[in-house]
Amino acid sequence: MGALLFERTSRSVELTEIGSRLRDDLQSGYEQIQAGLARAADAARATPKALRVGFVGALAGQVAHRAARRTAADPPGIPVEIREVQVVDATEKLRSEHIDVLLISLPVTAPDVTVGPVLFSEPRMLAVPAHHPLAARTSLTQEDLADVVLLRPPHSGPDSWPADRHPRRTPGGAAISSGAPVETFQEALQQVGAGAGAVIVGAQVLRFYTRPDVVYLPFTDAPPIEWAATWLNINDVPCHRHFARAAVQAAAELDEPPRLWRSP
C-alpha cells in the first residue's frame, strides 16, 4: 500500500491510523461479499445444512430447543443442532464457526455481530452469600453494589462478559470492589455460596438455580436483562433470521414468562 498498516512489537500487533482507516473503508464491502457467498452456498445445497445453535443459560436453552423443533418442521425444514456454550467465550464460538447462531443476554457490543429481536426479558437480581448482611433484605438498589465484592470475568474485552454485569461504579459514583475472576455461571454461584463475592443475575435463577448458600435479591431501580439471538454480520443469511423468528415465538409460549417473575 506504500504505507505502514501495522505496528508490531514482540507482545502485540496494532493497526496504524492508515491501517484502521483502510479496515473501516473495506469492512462493509467485505461483509457483503461474504454474505453473498454464504447465501449462494446455502441455495446450492440439495439438503439443508444443519444450523448449529449455541445458548447460554437454562432458559435460553429451553427457547433454543423449542425454536429448533419449529425450524425443523416449517419449510424449508432446516435441521438444528443445539449446544451449550459459556458466556466468556460465546462470541468467539461464533467467530471460530463452532456455532452459527448464539442465544445470549444483551448487551452485545461486538461490531461484527448482528443482534436479532429481543426474545425475552427478566428482572435483574443480585446473588449474594446467604450469610451476607444484604441477604436479610427483600430488595436493593444499584447503590448497594458499593457494599459487595463483585465477581468479574477472567479477561476484559468488549464481548468477554456483558459489560453491565460487572460495573466499576454505582450510578452515584461509588466504587465497586472487584472480586475473583470466574469463567462459568456455575463457578460464579459456587464462589458466591462460598462467600467470595456477589454476581448480577437474571430472575431465571429463581426457577433453575436455587441454592441454600445463595440468596437472590431483586433490584428496584435496575433495567431488566434482555436476551436475543445473534450471528456474525458476514453470516447474515435467511436461515438465521428464520430461526430468530422461531425463537421469538418459542419464547412467547413459555409456561411462565420471565418478564413477570418476581422474588418470593
Side-chain angles (χ1 to χ4, degrees):
M1 303 302 297
L4 193 64
L5 300 182
F6 299 93
E7 293 283 359
R8 300 178 184 271
T9 70
S10 61
R11 300 176 63 89
S12 66
V13 179
E14 295 182 354
L15 286 168
T16 64
E17 182 178 353
I18 293 176
S20 295
R21 188 163 60 246
L22 179 63
R23 185 267 320 274
D24 294 342
D25 289 343
L26 298 182
Q27 185 68 30
S28 176
Y30 172 76
E31 291 175 358
Q32 290 181 26
I33 291 172
Q34 292 299 313
L37 290 173
R39 285 193 292 270
D42 286 344
R45 293 187 181 96
T47 302
K49 173 187 173 183
L51 187 66
R52 298 162 303 174
V53 176
F55 69 90
V56 176
L59 189 58
Q62 284 194 346
V63 172
H65 279 89
R66 293 188 183 202
R69 289 194 290 269
R70 284 179 171 273
T71 304
D74 296 341
I78 302 171
V80 180
E81 299 174 358
I82 305 293
R83 58 194 67 175
E84 183 182 17
V85 297
Q86 300 300 327
V87 65
V88 292
D89 62 356
T91 307
E92 285 305 316
K93 295 291 186 182
L94 280 176
R95 296 191 180 107
S96 61
E97 299 185 354
H98 283 82
I99 55 176
D100 303 306
V101 176
L102 170 65
L103 270 58
I104 195 170
S105 64
L106 303 178
V108 174
T109 58
D112 58 340
V113 175
T114 295
V115 178
V118 171
L119 305 177
F120 59 86
S121 64
E122 54 181 340
R124 191 177 300 255
M125 309 187 80
L126 184 69
V128 299
H131 57 75
H132 193 279
L134 287 176
R137 302 260 296 271
T138 58
S139 64
L140 45 71
T141 70
Q142 295 181 80
E143 294 303 318
D144 291 314
L145 291 174
D147 298 326
V148 301
V149 175
L150 209 57
L151 301 179
R152 58 183 175 83
H155 51 83
S156 61
D159 55 356
S160 60
W161 192 290
D164 62 341
R165 260 23 83 73
H166 56 102
R168 300 291 185 181
R169 294 186 176 276
T170 69
I176 302 173
S177 300
S178 293
V182 291
E183 293 196 9
T184 70
F185 187 61
Q186 291 295 347
E187 180 185 359
L189 292 183
Q190 186 64 39
Q191 292 275 30
V192 173
V199 64
I200 295 174
V201 298
Q204 63 179 283
V205 293
L206 300 176
R207 183 172 181 179
F208 298 110
Y209 301 102
T210 56
R211 294 175 57 115
D213 54 354
V214 176
V215 172
Y216 300 116
L217 300 169
F219 286 98
T220 59
D221 62 345
I225 295 175
E226 296 181 326
W227 293 72
T230 64
W231 52 88
L232 291 181
N233 298 342
I234 61 174
N235 292 330
D236 189 8
V237 293
C239 64
H240 295 171
R241 294 189 175 275
H242 178 70
F243 182 85
R245 290 191 294 271
V248 171
Q249 295 175 322
E253 296 172 356
L254 289 170
D255 296 333
E256 187 179 2
R259 62 178 61 86
L260 300 180
W261 293 350
R262 294 292 184 270
S263 179

